[in-house]
Amino acid sequence: MSQFTVETQVSDIVTAIPQTADLFRTLRIDYCCGGKVPLEEVDPEAVLEQLKHIESEFIHYQESRPALLTGLELMDYIKHKHHAFLRDELPAMTPYVTKLARVHGGHHPELLRVEEIFAELKKELLEHTEDEEQNVFPLMSEYFTEQGHEISAALKQQITELVDEHEQAGNLLKELREITSDFGVPADACGTYRLVYQRLANLEKDTFEHIHLENNILFKPFRTGLQ
């Protein structure tokens, strides 16, 4: 019997079973920024049926589950997995995105907007990760070890700003998917065209996972009020 009902929130499902993120992404259901909605608001019959299948396979899931990590461990996980990915991938992708817009933008004007969105995402995400590592995560580490109320008050304001930044990044990624028709390439697309769209899809996947871990797990105690 499924542990989920039509009243279960999307973000809680992804926290319990990370593989369901792929299902929600395919269905274009926001599980990170807008994940605080119950299944009954997002076509529950179709989702619940597919969730049953994923749950049945979850017994064999051996991969590390970030939701079970402590706050300190989760910050380390985010830095080494998601922050490192952004620092490597965003600069590496830049010349390919620029070339694609320059060569094919005349016949595919949406690529000019792709270039603009990518540049904005690159700037925002790299500044965002730097702010987390230099300012927010050290303060959170201090809180997790000392449980200071003054620290928690300072953190709440910073986390509110980070969540707003997550929403901005999420909106840019949604626009990116929309204008690229779900990262679908033309039949005559060149290798660079296919490469860029594939890497943009991977960027979306990693960023949504990153935002989910922070919004719905790491930041949760500070967003709902500390005990």
Side-chain angles (χ1 to χ4, degrees):
M1 183 175 180
S2 175
Q3 62 177 301
F4 306 124
T5 70
V6 294
E7 297 178 350
T8 308
Q9 292 187 344
V10 171
S11 61
D12 291 337
I13 294 172
V14 177
T15 296
I17 303 181
Q19 296 96 320
T20 57
D22 294 332
L23 168 63
F24 291 123
R25 188 170 54 255
T26 299
L27 296 174
R28 302 184 74 170
I29 295 172
D30 183 358
Y31 67 85
C32 52
C33 298
K36 297 299 183 183
V37 294
L39 282 179
E40 61 187 350
E41 296 183 16
V42 290
D43 194 7
E45 292 184 8
V47 175
L48 280 172
E49 189 60 34
Q50 295 182 70
L51 281 176
K52 289 179 183 178
H53 175 70
I54 296 173
E55 278 187 284
S56 68
E57 296 184 341
F58 188 62
I59 299 173
H60 307 291
Y61 181 54
Q62 300 297 322
E63 198 175 339
S64 173
R65 291 178 59 193
L68 300 182
L69 300 177
T70 67
L72 293 172
E73 291 169 339
L74 184 53
M75 283 189 289
D76 193 60
Y77 177 90
I78 289 170
K79 286 192 292 185
H80 287 89
K81 183 176 190 296
H82 297 293
H83 288 188
F85 170 80
L86 291 173
R87 289 196 177 102
D88 289 341
E89 183 67 357
L90 290 172
M93 282 185 64
T94 300
Y96 295 101
V97 175
T98 301
K99 177 181 178 181
L100 184 64
R102 184 181 70 248
V103 175
H104 297 284
H107 292 94
H108 297 278
E110 71 276 6
L111 294 177
L112 302 179
R113 180 57 183 155
V114 167
E115 184 180 25
E116 291 176 350
I117 294 174
F118 177 79
E120 191 171 350
L121 273 172
K122 178 183 175 183
K123 180 177 184 296
E124 289 188 4
L125 290 174
L126 291 180
E127 289 179 351
H128 180 88
T129 56
E130 185 70 15
D131 180 38
E132 286 187 339
E133 292 190 14
Q134 296 299 319
N135 302 304
V136 180
F137 282 8
L139 203 57
M140 292 186 77
S141 295
E142 191 176 345
Y143 171 78
F144 286 133
T145 54
E146 299 183 11
Q147 299 284 305
H149 291 292
E150 292 184 2
I151 298 173
S152 71
L155 273 170
K156 285 183 180 181
Q157 178 59 40
Q158 293 190 18
I159 286 173
T160 297
E161 294 174 0
L162 291 177
V163 171
D164 288 342
E165 292 172 7
H166 285 165
E167 185 170 357
Q168 293 171 14
N171 288 336
L172 288 171
L173 287 166
K174 290 172 189 175
E175 182 183 353
L176 198 57
R177 176 170 281 276
E178 182 177 342
I179 66 174
T180 60
S181 300
D182 296 328
F183 304 112
V185 297
D188 61 346
C190 66
T192 298
Y193 213 130
R194 296 180 185 279
L195 173 69
V196 168
Y197 272 34
Q198 181 182 38
R199 291 174 75 163
L200 287 174
N202 289 337
L203 174 64
E204 178 200 63
K205 180 178 185 294
D206 188 88
T207 303
F208 280 161
E209 290 174 356
H210 178 182
I211 290 174
H212 167 70
L213 289 178
E214 293 188 350
N215 279 9
N216 301 317
I217 302 177
L218 182 62
F219 295 167
K220 188 174 182 179
F222 306 97
R223 299 181 69 189
T224 58
L226 295 165
Q227 300 300 320

